[in-house]
Coordinates of all heavy atoms in Angstrom, one line a residue:
K108 N -16.4 1.2 -13.5 CA -16.9 -0.2 -13.2 C -17.7 -0.2 -12.0 O -18.2 0.8 -11.5 CB -15.7 -1.1 -13.1 CG -14.8 -1.0 -14.3 CD -13.6 -1.9 -14.3 CE -14.0 -3.3 -14.6 NZ -12.8 -4.2 -14.7
I123 N 11.5 -11.8 6.5 CA 12.5 -11.9 7.6 C 13.7 -11.1 7.2 O 14.1 -11.1 6.0 CB 12.8 -13.4 7.9 CG1 13.6 -13.4 9.2 CG2 13.5 -14.1 6.8 CD1 13.6 -14.8 9.9
N130 N 22.1 -2.3 6.8 CA 23.3 -1.4 6.7 C 24.4 -2.0 7.6 O 24.2 -3.0 8.2 CB 22.9 0.0 7.0 CG 22.6 0.2 8.5 OD1 22.9 -0.7 9.3 ND2 21.9 1.3 8.9
G133 N 23.7 -3.4 10.9 CA 22.7 -4.5 11.0 C 21.3 -4.1 11.1 O 20.4 -4.8 11.6
L140 N 12.8 -1.8 2.9 CA 11.4 -1.8 3.4 C 10.4 -1.2 2.4 O 9.3 -1.8 2.2 CB 11.4 -1.0 4.7 CG 10.0 -1.0 5.5 CD1 9.6 -2.4 5.8 CD2 10.1 -0.2 6.7
I146 N 5.7 -3.9 -3.3 CA 5.2 -5.2 -3.8 C 3.9 -5.5 -3.1 O 2.9 -5.9 -3.8 CB 6.3 -6.4 -3.4 CG1 7.6 -6.1 -4.2 CG2 5.7 -7.7 -3.8 CD1 7.5 -6.3 -5.7
A147 N 3.8 -5.3 -1.8 CA 2.5 -5.6 -1.1 C 1.4 -4.7 -1.7 O 0.3 -5.2 -2.0 CB 2.7 -5.4 0.4
E157 N -8.0 -6.0 -10.9 CA -8.0 -7.2 -11.8 C -7.3 -6.9 -13.1 O -7.7 -7.3 -14.2 CB -9.5 -7.7 -12.0 CG -10.2 -8.1 -10.7 CD -11.7 -8.4 -10.9 OE1 -12.1 -8.6 -12.0 OE2 -12.4 -8.5 -9.9
K158 N -6.3 -6.0 -12.9 CA -5.5 -5.6 -14.1 C -4.1 -5.4 -13.6 O -3.8 -5.2 -12.4 CB -6.0 -4.2 -14.7 CG -7.3 -4.3 -15.3 CD -7.6 -3.0 -16.0 CE -8.9 -3.1 -16.9 NZ -10.1 -2.8 -16.1
C160 N -1.0 -3.1 -12.7 CA -1.0 -1.8 -12.2 C 0.5 -1.3 -12.1 O 1.3 -2.2 -11.7 CB -1.7 -1.7 -10.8 SG -3.4 -2.2 -10.9
T162 N 3.2 1.6 -10.3 CA 3.4 2.6 -9.2 C 3.5 4.0 -9.9 O 4.4 4.2 -10.7 CB 4.7 2.4 -8.4 OG1 4.8 1.0 -8.1 CG2 4.6 3.2 -7.1
R169 N 7.5 6.8 6.0 CA 7.9 7.1 7.4 C 8.5 5.9 8.0 O 8.0 4.8 7.9 CB 6.7 7.6 8.2 CG 6.0 8.8 7.5 CD 4.9 9.4 8.4 NE 3.8 8.5 8.7 CZ 2.8 8.8 9.5 NH1 2.7 10.0 10.1 NH2 1.9 7.9 9.8
L182 N 3.8 -6.9 6.7 CA 3.3 -5.8 5.9 C 1.9 -6.0 5.7 O 1.4 -7.1 5.3 CB 4.1 -5.7 4.6 CG 5.6 -5.5 4.8 CD1 6.3 -6.6 4.1 CD2 6.0 -4.2 4.3
E183 N 1.1 -4.9 5.8 CA -0.3 -5.0 5.5 C -0.7 -3.9 4.5 O -0.4 -2.7 4.8 CB -1.1 -4.8 6.8 CG -2.6 -5.0 6.6 CD -3.4 -4.7 7.9 OE1 -3.1 -5.3 8.9 OE2 -4.3 -3.8 7.9
T191 N -10.5 7.1 -11.0 CA -10.9 6.6 -12.4 C -10.0 5.4 -12.8 O -10.5 4.3 -12.9 CB -10.8 7.8 -13.4 OG1 -11.6 8.9 -13.0 CG2 -11.3 7.3 -14.8
Q203 N 8.4 -8.0 14.4 CA 8.3 -8.9 15.5 C 9.6 -9.5 15.8 O 10.2 -10.1 14.9 CB 7.2 -10.0 15.2 CG 6.9 -10.8 16.4 CD 5.7 -11.8 16.1 OE1 5.4 -12.0 14.9 NE2 5.1 -12.3 17.1
P208 N 6.7 -10.9 22.7 CA 5.2 -11.2 22.3 C 4.6 -10.1 21.4 O 3.7 -10.4 20.7 CB 4.5 -11.2 23.7 CG 5.4 -10.4 24.6 CD 6.8 -10.5 24.1
H209 N 5.1 -8.9 21.5 CA 4.4 -7.8 20.8 C 5.0 -7.4 19.4 O 6.2 -7.5 19.3 CB 4.3 -6.6 21.7 CG 3.6 -6.9 23.0 ND1 2.3 -7.3 23.0 CD2 4.1 -6.9 24.3 CE1 2.0 -7.5 24.3 NE2 3.0 -7.3 25.1
L212 N 5.0 -1.1 15.3 CA 4.9 -0.4 14.1 C 6.3 0.2 13.7 O 6.8 1.0 14.6 CB 3.9 0.7 14.1 CG 3.6 1.5 12.9 CD1 3.0 0.6 11.8 CD2 2.7 2.7 13.2
I213 N 6.9 -0.1 12.6 CA 8.2 0.4 12.2 C 8.1 1.4 11.1 O 9.0 2.2 10.8 CB 9.2 -0.6 11.9 CG1 8.8 -1.5 10.7 CG2 9.5 -1.5 13.2 CD1 10.0 -2.3 10.1
Q226 N -2.5 -2.0 -24.0 CA -1.7 -1.0 -24.7 C -0.8 -0.1 -23.8 O -0.1 0.8 -24.2 CB -2.6 -0.1 -25.6 CG -3.1 -0.8 -26.9 CD -4.1 -1.9 -26.7 OE1 -5.0 -1.6 -25.9 NE2 -3.9 -3.0 -27.2
E241 N -13.7 2.8 10.0 CA -12.3 3.0 9.7 C -12.1 3.1 8.2 O -11.4 4.0 7.7 CB -11.5 1.8 10.2 CG -10.1 2.0 10.2 CD -9.3 0.7 10.6 OE1 -10.0 -0.3 10.9 OE2 -8.1 0.7 10.6

Side-chain angles (χ1 to χ4, degrees):
K108 304 183 80 170
I123 187 159
N130 68 15
L140 183 59
I146 297 290
E157 300 174 12
K158 290 190 172 84
C160 298
T162 316
R169 304 187 297 179
L182 299 122
E183 184 183 307
T191 304
Q203 190 172 14
H209 302 296
L212 182 66
I213 61 163
Q226 282 71 48
E241 191 186 358

